[in-house]
Amino acid sequence: MGGTTHSSTDPFPPLLDVSDVTRSFPGVRALSGMRLDLRHGEVLALVGENGAGKSTLMRLLSGVDQPDTGRFLLDGREIRPSGPGHARSLGIGIIHQEFSLVPDLTVAQNLFLGREPRRWRWFVDRRALDRRAAELVAELGLPLDPDAPVATLSVAHQQLVEIARALSHRPRVLIMDEPTAALDADEVETLHALIRRFQGPNTGVIYISHRMDEIRRVADRITVIRDGRYVATRAVSTTSTDEVVSLMVGRAVATSTAPAPTRVARRPGPVVLSVRGLSTRGLLRDVSFDLHEGEILGFAGLMGAGRTETARALVGADPSTGGTVEVRGRPARIRNPAEAAALGVGYLSEDRKRYGLLLDHDVGTNITLAALASRFATAGVVRRRAARTAAQGYVRALGVRTPSLDRPVRNLSGGNQQKVVLARWLARDCDVLIVDEPTRGVDVGAKEEIHQLLEGLANDGTSVIVISSELPEVLRLSDRVVVMSEGRVTGILPAAEASQEAIMRYATLRPENTGTPPPDRDAPGDQYRAGAPEPTAPEHGREARP
Amino acid sequence: MTATDTTDTVDHPARRGGLAGAARARLQQLLALASLLVIGAFFSVASPFFLTYGNFTAILFSTVVIGTLAVGTTLVIVSGGIDLSLGTGMALCAVVAGVLMVDLGLPLAVGVPAAILFGGLIGLVNGLNVTLLGIPPFIATLAMMLVAGGLALVLSNSAPIYFTDVPGYLDISTGNLVPGVDFPNAVLILLVAAVVAGLVLSRTVLGRHTYSVGSNEAATALSGVDVRRVKIAVYVLAGLFTGLAGILISARLGSAQPATGMGYELQAIAAVVIGGTSLSGGRGSVVGTLIGALIISVLNNGLQIMSIPQEWQNVILGCVILVAVYADMLRRRRRG
């Protein structure tokens, strides 16, 4: 697969030329020979799966991190951004997914944060600040009140403040990372209008998004990256959504969608956990699904689709605004994770350092934490020998590589840390185990061990929910796959019909276009498809593969 | 990935740290103990009056109140909280003891437990404010510090309550369990209380959960531990120790002094910190706290014996806190 690229002897160099950029982290090659070219006056969409390397590339361009090899040329001249401020002064503006606004300050104060107009050197010239903020807002045609504290704005308007701030620096290259993730259709239109107004003959926009419909409207060309590598660039006018999706997931699909050799056909039993209409204030709308005994239910979706939020609301870690949960047919009111655990529902967070481990505590303490009261204590006094023996047993069974139980978990590798938090829930002996990104930051060997462990659990009758951003992992493990997009369930696919293409199609749906989300029917073999943009047989995608 | 490569995959420097695992937990206490001995040795050389049995028991006796408060607040601090209401809470409990036994004439066997339980009640209110209302511990207990200090004055009409007519009350602190052996009861009570607190912290589910909450509250909650109950229990326990300290101090003075509590909480926190307990939670021990309290007493006592003006004692104590905490941080950083 080729792609439109330029040669370096081009008499008219592109606005931004990224060539042969490599960046490795211990154990991971995040970018390898990455390249792209942004032409003058164009909007270039950058697409790729989660973890394809988009964020790494952004970090390099914004100077937060430096490439190992490769170079960036702006108008043919090499630039080496050394930090966000430097990148900005070079003419590269970046709007991150996570806002960098100070909530308690006003819009005007945020717009000029760090470069406030001064008076007598030490004092903020408030009048000048207000005037310039008003000018900026008016010039960009934004519906913003410069005096409003940012905390009082909707997420969409906060996004606009962020964009206004980036534009106020008059960047040559504006990079937007998922700028519409929080916006509704009208606001997306406002944003696109803003991009068109910004765009001149000497500027360019890199637009990172998962939403093909928007890309088709706003972008001129699409560059696809995958696994840290450049894949292809296509003109929007000559490509199709199908082509782009298959380029995105094209990685060795032949091997990763094939059932893993160790896979045994599980025969899931009756419904253990039934969730109906789960909603939260922020994101989730009417999430419904069933989990069967001994089943592995995969949760797929793009960043921010609401998979983690579903798990957290389910176990009561975050408040929900509606919905019912039944555990083994009995209505359950779960207000906090302790109540969830008492019902046999355990949740392992995606962020094991923040929400999983007691980093300074030893392996034994970490393993026995969840089961201390229920299994390892008599009348509130810890039976230390029993706890230690059990912990030792899990260390051995899971192959946690640590010289002793007394080692602080901080000193273990990522894979071993992950096994420790898994062991914690095994010790608690749950009926339902929800694992969120169980192999993130874990090396290949440990990953395989964790996969086998999860499969073993399911074979022994534990019901497992696997939330993962890695489609091959979801496909490898799942009996069925729940696909979410923007806080809703857009499809529930049985393993036989789940392919990377099918999942990506549901994951990129805007739920507004799909009508009511599907009720999950009872039988595990049951299939439901939400209204996909075009009906697609699973074979379709396979034909497109090389 | 077989069991045979279990040890090979572990990097070497980390392994050294692992082997020292259990010993290292003690090291922090050993360091504190060593500093205590060094300070003691210094005063022994500097003054002939320091190293005598009389002075030894005097030091222990003067450690009792701060020690009891510090042991209680160790639990709170290990859980990642803080309790500023200990000092005035202690004064209030002493006043309550006075009201019950002097004004109402209740017997010792009722008045003493009631005053201690009243301390538990103060702790319960603190715990509920922190958990149910979600008020940060610093603010919740700062408010309680003011409330308790005020109530102590209100209940006592701002006047000391004398226990002269309560038989046996003064013996709680100053009497000797074994007649003729000069070893004050208050010191024994502190030791028993410290052993109880130490066992709670190291051996019970509550204690282990206290460390977990202090180390990573979110992770502990997600592991199915009812974090609120842990926190409430910890504040209640600290309150009970506050009540006990109220009894000990009023029995020693022979009176409940309603205006004397303020400032004790900071001395107690200083003892905890010198003893190696982290103010950010998750780490610490009762033994360390006891040593910390002893270091403060020895310093005060030794400086007094050397006739260094009272005013300088706090200056030196402040410096000791800085040195102790900085040394602990250095050790920790080197370990990486």
Side-chain angles (χ1 to χ4, degrees):
Chain A
M1 37 192 139
T4 57
T5 53
H6 69 284
S7 77
S8 54
T9 53
D10 199 330
F12 300 106
L15 176 59
L16 178 71
D17 177 14
V18 173
S19 54
D20 203 27
V21 166
T22 300
R23 179 74 179 109
S24 300
F25 300 104
V28 196
R29 185 159 252 217
L31 288 179
S32 177
M34 175 60 61
R35 59 194 163 96
L36 64 80
D37 64 307
L38 174 68
R39 296 172 183 167
H40 291 88
E42 84 167 342
V43 176
L44 177 72
L46 183 63
V47 301
E49 284 185 276
N50 298 337
K54 290 168 298 183
S55 318
T56 308
L57 185 58
M58 296 263 295
R59 289 168 57 81
L60 299 182
L61 278 168
S62 64
V64 177
D65 191 16
Q66 274 68 43
D68 299 333
T69 65
R71 52 182 196 160
F72 304 124
L73 302 179
L74 187 64
D75 267 335
R77 288 217 319 257
E78 178 159 10
I79 55 167
R80 295 166 182 269
S82 62
H86 186 220
R88 204 180 295 136
S89 68
L90 290 168
I92 296 179
I94 296 197
I95 297 158
H96 290 280
Q97 250 173 314
E98 279 127 39
F99 303 146
S100 50
L101 302 175
V102 182
D104 292 324
L105 298 185
T106 65
V107 169
Q109 287 166 334
N110 267 287
L111 287 174
F112 291 96
L113 190 62
R115 50 185 179 120
E116 295 83 356
R118 307 280 183 99
R119 164 178 289 185
W120 302 322
R121 186 178 174 94
W122 301 107
F123 296 91
V124 173
D125 185 346
R126 295 185 58 174
R127 211 168 296 160
L129 178 74
D130 291 344
R131 182 170 35 83
R132 288 175 55 184
E135 282 168 10
L136 183 63
V137 166
E139 182 195 340
L140 297 172
L142 297 177
L144 292 174
D145 171 11
D147 293 330
V150 161
T152 63
L153 303 183
S154 68
V155 175
H157 280 159
Q158 292 184 11
Q159 174 76 283
L160 293 179
V161 175
E162 190 85 10
I163 292 167
R165 184 159 76 179
L167 291 182
S168 72
H169 291 280
R170 318 262 164 214
R172 300 287 312 281
V173 176
L174 182 64
I175 306 175
M176 308 175 108
D177 190 4
E178 299 267 4
T180 58
L183 306 189
D184 67 30
D186 287 350
E187 291 158 345
V188 169
E189 208 33 67
T190 307
L191 175 75
H192 287 178
L194 206 57
I195 291 176
R196 280 180 214 112
R197 198 164 322 147
F198 161 75
Q199 194 64 283
N202 278 313
T203 59
V205 175
I206 297 178
Y207 189 94
I208 298 178
S209 179
H210 288 301
R211 296 182 178 165
M212 288 307 300
D213 53 334
E214 278 171 25
I215 289 174
R216 301 196 74 91
R217 266 183 286 146
V218 76
D220 302 302
R221 293 187 304 152
I222 305 176
T223 289
V224 182
I225 69 175
R226 185 205 314 144
D227 294 340
R229 292 168 187 276
Y230 172 89
V231 174
T233 298
R234 296 280 185 268
V236 166
S237 51
T238 61
T239 188
S240 68
T241 300
D242 274 348
E243 186 189 18
V244 172
V245 167
S246 62
L247 286 170
M248 274 164 77
V249 299
R251 134 190 51 195
V253 179
T255 61
S256 60
T257 45
T262 53
R263 176 151 183 176
V264 288
R266 278 183 293 275
R267 304 193 137 258
V271 173
V272 173
L273 179 75
S274 173
V275 176
R276 288 289 176 273
L278 190 65
S279 302
T280 61
R281 189 176 296 265
L283 180 64
L284 299 186
R285 284 291 141 70
D286 208 12
V287 172
S288 302
F289 63 90
D290 283 334
L291 176 67
H292 298 257
E293 185 174 282
E295 176 185 40
I296 298 184
L297 185 62
F299 265 67
L302 299 164
M303 219 77 89
R307 297 163 298 160
T308 296
E309 288 78 3
T310 300
R312 287 183 59 93
L314 178 56
V315 300
D318 291 331
S320 53
T321 52
T324 58
V325 176
E326 286 183 9
V327 179
R328 293 199 183 277
R330 305 253 289 280
R333 197 166 131 61
I334 300 175
R335 288 166 301 184
N336 56 52
E339 292 181 349
L343 288 164
V345 181
Y347 168 64
L348 250 88
S349 167
E350 59 185 326
D351 188 342
R352 62 177 166 264
K353 292 224 160 91
R354 220 168 124 207
Y355 294 120
L357 296 164
L358 312 174
L359 279 172
D360 290 320
H361 286 197
D362 58 48
V363 172
T365 302
N366 272 281
I367 289 179
T368 53
L369 176 61
L372 205 57
S374 57
R375 264 186 74 191
F376 303 123
T378 311
V381 177
V382 178
R383 283 184 281 121
R384 293 191 298 169
R385 191 163 307 154
R388 215 182 149 76
T389 312
Q392 195 73 60
Y394 287 111
V395 163
R396 212 170 298 127
L398 272 63
V400 180
R401 277 171 278 286
T402 175
S404 111
L405 282 182
D406 302 318
R407 161 72 66 88
V409 284
R410 184 187 289 285
N411 296 344
L412 302 189
S413 72
N416 285 308
Q417 289 181 344
Q418 189 66 33
K419 287 180 191 174
V420 167
V421 279
L422 269 165
R424 179 187 299 166
W425 283 110
L426 298 190
R428 176 78 193 219
D429 200 14
C430 298
D431 295 340
V432 175
L433 190 57
I434 307 171
V435 290
D436 198 346
E437 302 290 353
T439 62
R440 176 178 287 174
V442 162
D443 64 72
V444 181
K447 192 169 184 168
E448 181 58 28
E449 290 175 345
I450 289 170
H451 286 168
Q452 289 176 9
L453 177 77
L454 293 173
E455 287 175 329
L457 280 174
N459 290 338
D460 293 342
T462 303
S463 308
V464 183
I465 290 178
V466 176
I467 299 171
S468 177
S469 295
E470 288 182 50
L471 289 182
E473 178 167 271
V474 170
L475 292 169
R476 142 107 208 238
L477 292 170
S478 308
D479 296 308
R480 290 185 302 148
V481 180
V482 175
V483 188
M484 294 189 69
S485 173
E486 299 179 28
R488 295 165 193 254
V489 173
T490 48
I492 298 180
L493 311 172
E497 294 174 27
S499 63
Q500 297 208 17
E501 287 81 357
I503 290 174
M504 284 303 281
R505 205 172 301 285
Y506 287 108
T508 48
L509 278 185
R510 297 208 63 156
E512 283 84 352
N513 308 334
T514 67
T516 342
D520 181 15
R521 288 181 220 150
D522 282 340
D526 201 358
Q527 156 210 353
Y528 178 85
R529 333 190 110 243
E534 54 227 67
T536 328
E539 288 74 23
H540 183 99
R542 251 164 232 155
E543 284 169 0
R545 263 173 252 135
Chain B
M1 298 299 138
T2 57
T4 49
D5 59 337
T6 298
T7 47
D8 300 340
T9 48
V10 177
D11 52 313
H12 193 64
R15 189 190 302 171
R16 259 181 301 151
L19 286 176
R24 205 186 41 229
R26 302 262 144 71
L27 183 65
Q28 157 194 333
Q29 292 159 19
L30 288 177
L31 273 181
L33 188 61
S35 345
L36 177 61
L37 293 177
V38 167
I39 296 170
F42 171 77
F43 286 127
S44 308
V45 173
S47 164
F49 305 110
F50 183 78
L51 202 60
T52 60
Y53 182 75
N55 196 43
F56 175 68
T57 52
I59 289 173
L60 289 180
F61 191 60
S62 66
T63 311
V64 164
V65 172
I66 295 297
T68 308
L69 290 176
V71 165
T73 200
T74 301
L75 296 167
V76 174
I77 291 176
V78 166
S79 82
I82 191 85
D83 192 346
L84 299 178
S85 67
L86 297 168
T88 59
M90 172 183 77
L92 177 57
C93 289
V95 167
V96 165
V99 168
L100 293 176
M101 286 178 276
V102 177
D103 297 352
L104 301 179
L106 292 174
L108 207 64
V110 177
V112 170
I116 293 175
L117 286 177
F118 188 84
L121 186 67
I122 297 175
L124 180 65
V125 174
N126 280 335
L128 293 175
N129 284 338
V130 168
T131 54
L132 292 188
L133 303 188
I135 297 173
F138 188 95
I139 294 165
T141 59
L142 177 72
M144 181 55 83
M145 173 176 97
L146 297 171
V147 168
L151 278 181
L153 292 170
V154 170
L155 279 181
S156 63
N157 288 321
S158 304
I161 304 174
Y162 293 94
F163 289 95
T164 29
D165 296 333
V166 183
Y169 188 73
L170 271 56
D171 288 339
I172 294 175
S173 259
T174 53
N176 300 316
L177 187 65
V178 185
V181 178
D182 179 25
F183 197 79
N185 285 341
V187 177
L188 291 177
I189 292 174
L190 169 62
L191 288 179
V192 170
V195 167
V196 169
L199 288 179
V200 166
L201 205 48
S202 63
R203 295 295 165 88
T204 65
V205 172
L206 173 65
R208 300 282 287 266
H209 285 169
T210 303
Y211 282 107
S212 306
V213 170
S215 179
N216 189 340
E217 183 174 338
T220 307
L222 280 177
S223 297
V225 173
D226 193 336
V227 168
R228 284 202 232 176
R229 267 170 53 183
V230 173
K231 286 188 177 176
I232 291 173
V234 155
Y235 281 99
V236 168
L237 281 171
L240 292 173
F241 278 87
T242 306
L244 181 62
I247 297 292
L248 291 172
I249 193 172
S250 57
R252 184 176 95 194
L253 300 173
S255 63
Q257 299 284 346
T260 54
M262 196 83 82
Y264 277 82
E265 67 284 334
L266 297 181
Q267 296 257 332
I269 292 168
V272 173
V273 168
I274 292 174
T277 295
S278 162
L279 270 190
S280 50
R283 189 162 58 81
S285 71
V286 169
V287 175
T289 294
L290 274 186
I291 296 171
L294 276 173
I295 287 179
I296 294 178
S297 295
V298 167
L299 270 179
N300 285 338
N301 175 280
L303 294 172
Q304 231 156 30
I305 286 179
M306 288 176 67
S307 313
I308 290 177
Q310 178 109 41
E311 295 75 24
W312 281 100
Q313 291 176 13
N314 277 344
V315 175
I316 293 171
L317 178 60
C319 296
V320 167
I321 292 175
L322 287 178
V323 170
V325 173
Y326 185 64
D328 194 42
M329 280 168 53
L330 271 189
R331 191 175 56 79
R332 213 158 275 289
R333 211 174 297 159
R334 208 168 325 128
R335 181 157 57 85

